[in-house]
Amino acid sequence: MSLAPDTTERLARARADLRMGVPVVICDGDAAGLVLAVETLTADRLGDVRALHPVLALTDHRAATLKIAAYDGDLARIALPVDADLAWVRAMADPAEDMAHPMKGPFKTHRDGPATVHRAGVALAKAARILPACLVAPLEDGAGFAAAHDLTRLDASAVLSTDLSPLSPVIHARLPLAVSEAGRLHIFRPDDGAEEHYAVEIGTPDRARPVLARLHSACFTGDLLGSLKCDCGPQLRGAMGQMGAEGAGVLLYLNQEGRGIGLANKMRAYALQDQGFDTVEANHRLGFDDDERDFRIGADILRKLGFAQVRLLTNNPAKVAKLESCGLTVTERVPLTVGENPHNADYLATKAAKSGHIL
């Protein structure tokens, strides 16, 4: 029988566990660690694991904010002070109160021994769309500990794999749109249980010719609420309007909110922007990279729809480079310069200066 979850299914279970505050066990050869996400950590669980001598794993970006050396390159491992309570642990991960209560230190950091389990824990927290920070307690028998406490167990290599989860088409149906009555919506679902992605096909694009296409990342605040802090809503409507005017096109609506950090973390970044940080600085203070999105998803969907050549509606050269690296031919970058207003002028300037957008 094959009723037990496979590795992909265990990864999905582990993401859900961390979001709910349930720890997971990650193994790396003979090494193993109990991993607890800081954002969903409780005082009771912190007390339960203190005897296991956990360390706090933070990304290099968050560590730099706290003036902590990231001896492992992409992350820092910090020993918990004996009097560290839940508020202290959370303050290390969440920058909301950094300005009001600067962290003083000094911090005792670990620089010896492997950090693979810690790296996998942080990566799993990112995939769960929560703050990229975790407590990691070393275990002598990871498999036995997981079995005794009914916890999900994973290999670090599976967590850290950069392979793209296969996408499967679910359904497509006719969808008359304001920009074109000849509209069709395609739903794609990744095998790893993550968010579904959508393709809006306008007209009947010729698969043998370059298609006017846009990779649009979901933006609840801009697309739905008409937020003036970004240009996403105008870009979405402008792209669809141009496709409608030309009679054909395909818009990929990728559920990678907030450049891939999720809506809750995007709102945390907005709160930091209100303190005077730009969008890139805010992401870094939270512990994220400039951009956590994976544009390979868009390339995979385009191929599954039968497109090999695109005229890409974008101001972001990174999207062009990623599609071309995935084997698609970008015959033209079509500018999409819309939506500037007094509220997002600094945001757009930061995209141009730090993210290479051509505006």
Side-chain angles (χ1 to χ4, degrees), residues 244-318:
E246 293 197 13
V250 59
L251 182 137
L252 306 188
Y253 198 86
L254 308 178
N255 275 311
Q256 302 191 104
E257 179 81 44
R259 295 184 184 172
I261 67 175
L263 183 57
N265 287 318
K266 184 171 88 168
M267 290 300 98
R268 289 185 172 112
Y270 276 13
L272 292 172
Q273 289 171 32
D274 288 340
Q275 296 179 16
F277 301 101
D278 67 35
T279 182
V280 171
E281 293 166 343
N283 268 28
H284 288 180
R285 293 188 76 88
L286 288 165
F288 293 102
D289 290 334
D290 301 21
D291 195 334
E292 298 278 354
R293 291 174 294 181
D294 190 342
F295 295 127
R296 294 179 300 172
I297 296 169
D300 193 28
I301 292 175
L302 286 168
R303 282 196 299 268
K304 282 183 165 59
L305 290 173
F307 299 108
Q309 303 178 77
V310 299
R311 298 167 51 226
L312 193 62
L313 269 164
T314 186
N315 303 322
N316 185 359

Side-chain angles (χ1 to χ4, degrees), residues 17-38:
D17 286 348
L18 289 190
R19 287 177 64 87
M20 294 186 295
V22 179
V24 301
V25 173
I26 297 179
C27 300
D28 178 41
D30 294 333
L34 179 69
V35 175
L36 303 94
V38 169

Side-chain angles (χ1 to χ4, degrees), residues 158-183:
V159 179
L160 295 172
S161 171
T162 58
D163 293 341
L164 181 67
S165 178
L167 284 162
S168 301
V170 179
I171 187 65
H172 62 87
R174 187 178 67 87
L175 183 67
L177 301 167
V179 298
S180 172
E181 293 186 4

Side-chain angles (χ1 to χ4, degrees), residues 2 30 48 249 298 332:
S2 58
D30 294 333
D48 289 340
E332 179 185 3

Side-chain angles (χ1 to χ4, degrees), residues 139-209:
L139 299 172
E140 291 187 2
D141 178 12
F145 191 94
H149 296 276
D150 196 21
L151 299 177
T152 302
R153 179 172 62 89
L154 296 165
D155 286 332
S157 59
V159 179
L160 295 172
S161 171
T162 58
D163 293 341
L164 181 67
S165 178
L167 284 162
S168 301
V170 179
I171 187 65
H172 62 87
R174 187 178 67 87
L175 183 67
L177 301 167
V179 298
S180 172
E181 293 186 4
R184 183 167 291 274
L185 181 63
H186 303 254
I187 310 298
F188 289 85
R189 181 177 298 154
D191 290 356
D192 65 0
E195 299 91 343
E196 294 171 347
H197 305 283
Y198 320 126
V200 183
E201 189 174 356
I202 293 173
T204 308
D206 185 350
R207 266 61 175 174
R209 298 175 58 84

